[in-house]
Each structure stands twice: as structure tokens, then as C-alpha cells.
Amino acid sequence: MKLRQSFLSALTLVLASTFVNAQDAAALTGPGLPSRKPAVTTDGLERLISRSKLLAHAEQFFSFAQLSNGNRAFGSKGHEATIQYIKRLLDRTGYYDVEFQTFTYPYAESRSQLTVDGKDLLTQAFTYSPGGDVTAPIAIVSNVGCEASDYPTLTGKIALIKRGDCDFGLKVAYAGGAGASGAIIYTNVDTAPSGGTLGQPSRPEGPYVPSAFIHKADGEAFISRINAGEEVVASIHATAISEDRSTSNVIATTKQGDRDNIIVAGAHSDSVPAGPGLNDDGSGSMGILEVALNLAKFKVKNAVRFIWWSAEEFGLVGSEYYVEHLSDEERQKIALYLNFDMIASPNAGFFVFDGDGNATDIPGPAGSEVIETLYRGYFDSHNIRTGSAVFGGSSDYQPFVDVGIPSGGLMTGAGGLKTAEGAEWWGGEAGVAYDRCYHQLCDNLENLFVDAWERNSKAIAYSIATYAQGIEGIPRTPRPPTRTLRVSKLSYEQRLHLTCDHDDDAA
Ligand SMILES: [Zn+2]
């Protein structure tokens, strides 16, 4: 490998020196001359992945979010700018067939602002919370507000309710039923509130009212003031959007390479409505983009297809659409799928998808264990320990897994807490979320842990270079003719929750 590498470098040098200027030299590895490009090698591709280029993309992604209220949710201006940017850079290489695969899906977004004493509090909104402006004194609801009897008459009041024991929607409906003009729920643990949903209206307990989700400390501060006899007046400013949106997956396939053995790598291009999504999943999107742009300097044996999924955050909508629309023949031609969703978490762990299922009891389709071994070997060789990520259905690998395509991938962790062992292995803080800005406004440029991001992007390059040259060990046996994707059986509501932290659901 080393020998071949230096031979190729020498060859490139000799050839380059026959050109008059640097521009001509660049043309040697540019578009239009695929036959003269060197065959891709793991070292060759990995070496081209640089943090400065990743960061330059990140600046762009962040600026796109500013086009639409600070987020890149599917179908928004910020998201549209994201996918146009990806397509433009890929088109420029001349190396890929790039297409938009367009579909329509219902979009729902709620925003809430809570203001007390002229101060805006850290607030999250619940999906299906109605829009409206309410100003009223806060009244405390007993217990955790899971029984109608916990609610006094609340006419002209905003109900203050503790999280836990039953779902958010029941609490807000009870508050509405008791006559409240608004409802505030505060967390029962010491973590920032993340998004949640009230569940689709309507409910027998009462009407939904404008609502807000706040931190435990803020809720408890109100309670002590009220218990001391003070009147605390709050204002809720809530907006709600519900509309069908058209959006697209970006699909880029190398013009060269064997299209009967396609290597597919994916990341989702959309963010949650709550924030710019630089780690989730800007990091994966930019990671595969940088690998794709550099792969264009090489020759491949197998075709490589990079896909940027849309509407992942609404329940794997883009990846489901793609897999569902593959013919049996096309499905058979996909050799394997690699998923990269969150690869730059600020308190990162290094997780490899558990292809053989020996750590999580959920194996991927046959061949997935080969992908797992490749990544574990990669990190071993860089003296980085690896944890196991589970094929639990919360990202775009799932439709591929469902139809029997060998799958794998990497991630650095979402809202879960890093263990003591994890902190020993990877540094960072035990007992703190891998990404404390998961699905929040603060998933911005500062939230990217560039060391982890660069390492994982290099690991992507390593895997793409490996499989672009051969898929030894990956079975190419005919796949079962299953067409049923797990995600298709879920309701809109359940799908929306697929990509949430499940500890946010009710308790
Ligand atoms: Zn994600």
C-alpha cells in the first residue's frame, strides 16, 4: 500500500511537471479526465480531508439558517439554500450525476416565548400548541397535573405544571378544560427543556391553550414567589405553522464505477425547527460532502452514491421515500449503506453501529458486521476506543436495514449522558449529554467539536475508499422481496418522535 502510494505520488509529480502552469496541473485530476486519475486509496482520500474545509462549509450552513428564523428545517429557505449549495459544489466537479428527488410532506412548527418581568426565559414549544398571545398571572397546579382534580378553576390564569407521569398534551388539555388561558410546563430534572409534542388535537379533557416548556429552576422560582404571596404575571407568545412543504433529497452518483455494486453513504440535510442543526446533522452532511468532493480526484471500481436526506427530523421521511421508490432491481444493486448522523458532538463518544448485534442484540442485515469491523479497526489503529450504536430506528439507516441492505455508520452521541467509562476513554465530561445542544437553538458553530468531526470525516473517507475499490465479505445474495418499511406503519405523530430523545416522551 505504501509503495503503491508513493509510486502514484511520484507519477503525479512527473506528469504534473510536463504542464506549464498550476492550472494545467490541476486539470490532471479535474473533471473530464477520469481515465488519468489515480485509483482511490484509503490514505490518498483520507489525507485530503481537512478541518479548515469542514469549517468553511459550517460557516455556510450557519448562514443558511439565518435565512429562515435560525433553522434549516425541511422546506425552509435555510434548508433550500443548504441543498442548493451541496448540489452546486457537486455539479462543479463534473464527476457525479446529481439529482433532486422531490416529495411533499406536511410540516408543523410551534414556537413559544415566555416573558416574565420583562425577561425572556429559555423556552421550548410543544408541537400542536396553538398560536396566540396571552398575559395573565401564574397559578400553580397540584401534584404533576395528571388528574382533573389537580386543577383549580383557572379562568384568567396561566397554569404552571410539573413535568412527569403523563403526557404533555393531557396536562395542557386539563389546563384548558379548567379555563386557563395558557399553560407552562417545567422540567422535573436538571436539564434544559427540549422539544416535545402535545399529540394531535382534539382531546376530551379540554382545548389546547398556548403553552411553553421551561427549565425546572425557572418553574420552582415562580412557585416560591407565588407561595410567598406574590403575583407573578407571565406572557406567552406562541406561533404555529402547519402546511404541506415540497422538499428534496440530493442524490449524487459517480459517473464511473460499477453500478451493479453501489456504495451508498447518507446524512440528513435538514435540521429541527428549533435550531440551525450544525451538529445534527450539518456535521454528517458536510462530512460526506467533503469526502465526495475529494473522491472526485480519483478513479473508483464501484459506483459511489452520496445522498443528503430531507425531512429526517420529521421521521426519516426522505430516506423512506427513497427506499420505497427503489425497484427490486435497483435495491439489489446497492451493496451497502453507511449512515452519518451527528459526528461532531461537543462531548463526543465514538460509536460504531453494532452490525453483528453482539452489544445491542439488534444486528443489521448480513454483511453489517463486516462494516462494523472495518470501522472498529480504523479507530483501533488510531488508538481510539469505540462504543456501540444501536440500529434503533432513529435515523436514516432504518429503511435500508428493513429491506435487508447491509448497513453501518458512525455517530458521536445525542442527548444521552456520557458514562464515567466514556469520559475515561474519550475525555469530556461524565454525566453530561454528548450533545447538550441537541435539537436546540445552540446547535451552532460553537457546538461543533472539530477534533471528533475531522476524525470521523477521515473515517468516512477511509470506508468510502475501501468499498469503492472492493466489497470483500459483503454478501451479494438476492435480498428478500420485502417492501414493508417499519417507519411506514407509524402515525405522523409517532414518526415525529422517532428522532427525539425518548425520555422526553412523557416522563
Ligand atoms: Zn439527526
Side-chain angles (χ1 to χ4, degrees):
M1 187 72 76
K2 257 222 161 80
L3 254 178
R4 180 162 173 71
Q5 190 53 45
S6 46
F7 166 73
L8 280 171
S9 312
L11 181 70
T12 308
L13 257 177
V14 169
L15 286 173
S17 68
T18 65
F19 288 94
V20 179
N21 59 40
Q23 211 172 4
D24 287 339
L28 178 72
T29 52
L33 289 170
S35 58
R36 292 211 196 161
K37 294 179 182 190
V40 68
T41 61
T42 53
D43 288 353
L45 186 58
E46 208 188 308
R47 197 177 330 121
L48 297 175
I49 305 303
S50 79
R51 53 203 288 146
S52 60
K53 289 203 178 127
L54 290 170
L55 284 166
H57 295 309
E59 302 270 352
Q60 294 293 320
F61 274 45
F62 187 72
S63 74
F64 299 150
Q66 306 320 305
L67 300 173
S68 44
N69 224 343
N71 71 73
R72 298 181 303 104
F74 89 85
S76 66
K77 282 199 177 112
H79 180 246
E80 192 58 28
T82 303
I83 61 176
Q84 294 290 352
Y85 174 79
I86 291 168
K87 184 170 188 299
R88 191 166 62 244
L89 293 186
L90 292 165
D91 277 338
R92 215 180 270 167
T93 66
Y95 186 80
Y96 295 97
D97 290 323
V98 190
E99 52 169 324
F100 277 161
Q101 182 182 39
T102 302
F103 58 92
T104 299
Y105 196 73
Y107 178 82
E109 175 188 323
S110 299
R111 291 180 178 276
S112 294
Q113 188 56 58
L114 181 70
T115 312
V116 177
D117 303 327
K119 241 182 64 189
D120 290 343
L121 279 83
L122 176 67
T123 311
Q124 290 283 341
F126 298 109
T127 308
Y128 296 118
S129 179
D133 286 299
V134 181
T135 298
I138 296 175
I140 304 167
V141 168
S142 309
N143 305 314
V144 281
C146 292
E147 307 285 339
S149 56
D150 292 335
Y151 294 76
T153 301
L154 290 168
T155 312
K157 299 274 169 61
I158 291 175
L160 178 64
I161 314 158
K162 187 176 184 171
R163 178 185 185 175
D165 289 7
C166 60
D167 67 279
F168 300 129
L170 184 68
K171 296 174 196 234
V172 173
Y174 272 139
S181 45
I184 300 168
I185 297 176
Y186 60 97
T187 57
N188 52 354
V189 287
D190 218 7
T191 55
S194 54
T197 177
L198 299 184
Q200 274 177 306
S202 59
R203 302 178 71 127
E205 294 83 7
Y208 285 158
V209 289
S211 59
F213 191 20
I214 62 167
H215 200 281
K216 182 185 175 199
D218 291 326
E220 288 177 347
F222 296 152
I223 291 171
S224 8
R225 287 172 62 185
I226 294 164
N227 285 342
E230 199 183 327
E231 182 179 76
V232 181
V233 175
S235 296
I236 298 175
H237 171 64
T239 54
I241 303 173
S242 172
E243 63 194 19
D244 281 347
R245 284 186 174 181
S246 168
T247 188
S248 306
N249 295 326
V250 186
I251 304 174
T253 310
T254 54
K255 289 179 177 161
Q256 37 158 307
D258 178 2
R259 289 204 180 187
D260 287 333
N261 280 307
I262 306 175
I263 311 305
V264 182
H268 68 88
S269 59
D270 63 312
S271 74
V272 289
L278 268 279
N279 184 33
D280 183 13
D281 181 26
S283 61
S285 287
M286 298 182 261
I288 66 168
L289 177 61
E290 207 34 45
V291 171
L293 295 175
N294 285 299
L295 183 65
K297 295 162 186 152
F298 297 95
K299 211 161 57 185
V300 290
K301 280 205 188 96
N302 292 323
V304 182
R305 176 173 294 161
F306 295 92
I307 311 185
W308 288 263
W309 309 114
S310 185
E312 188 271 353
E313 296 289 8
F314 278 67
L316 322 182
V317 182
S319 52
E320 181 213 18
Y321 187 89
Y322 174 80
V323 171
E324 207 164 46
H325 287 79
L326 286 172
S327 67
D328 283 344
E329 203 190 350
E330 289 170 307
R331 186 161 50 96
Q332 196 59 45
K333 289 178 177 175
I334 295 176
L336 56 93
Y337 175 69
L338 307 172
N339 196 66
F340 306 101
D341 188 357
M342 303 181 74
I343 57 167
S345 306
N347 192 28
F350 288 83
F351 296 99
V352 173
F353 275 89
D354 187 27
D356 59 12
N358 69 356
T360 62
D361 288 335
I362 306 180
S368 304
E369 73 285 355
V370 178
I371 303 169
E372 179 187 352
T373 302
L374 178 96
Y375 284 128
R376 295 220 193 262
Y378 176 83
F379 286 102
D380 279 351
S381 73
H382 290 276
N383 293 314
I384 297 170
R385 316 256 330 224
T386 48
S388 297
V390 59
F391 285 119
S394 65
S395 191
D396 297 302
Y397 52 78
Q398 193 62 51
F400 290 86
V401 168
D402 285 348
V403 299
I405 295 171
S407 299
L410 303 172
M411 67 171 301
T412 49
L417 304 183
K418 186 177 264 186
T419 58
E421 190 181 48
E424 227 170 80
W425 288 3
W426 303 309
E429 279 183 85
V432 171
Y434 295 105
D435 182 354
R436 77 191 87 184
C437 287
Y438 180 54
H439 285 182
Q440 293 173 58
L441 187 61
C442 59
D443 186 6
N444 55 25
L445 289 166
E446 286 74 49
N447 196 43
L448 293 164
F449 179 25
V450 185
D451 289 349
W453 192 16
E454 185 183 22
R455 176 50 63 206
N456 278 305
S457 299
K458 284 176 181 280
I460 298 171
Y462 177 84
S463 58
I464 293 292
T466 302
Y467 293 131
Q469 290 303 79
I471 50 164
E472 276 70 47
I474 306 283
R476 296 298 282 125
T477 47
R479 308 221 161 91
T482 169
R483 307 297 304 160
T484 323
L485 304 184
R486 219 174 301 178
V487 69
S488 318
K489 293 189 232 150
L490 303 178
S491 68
Y492 181 84
E493 186 67 7
Q494 288 168 319
R495 291 178 68 134
L496 197 54
H497 261 269
L498 265 183
T499 59
C500 292
D501 257 341
H502 287 281
D503 57 0
D504 283 345
D505 286 355

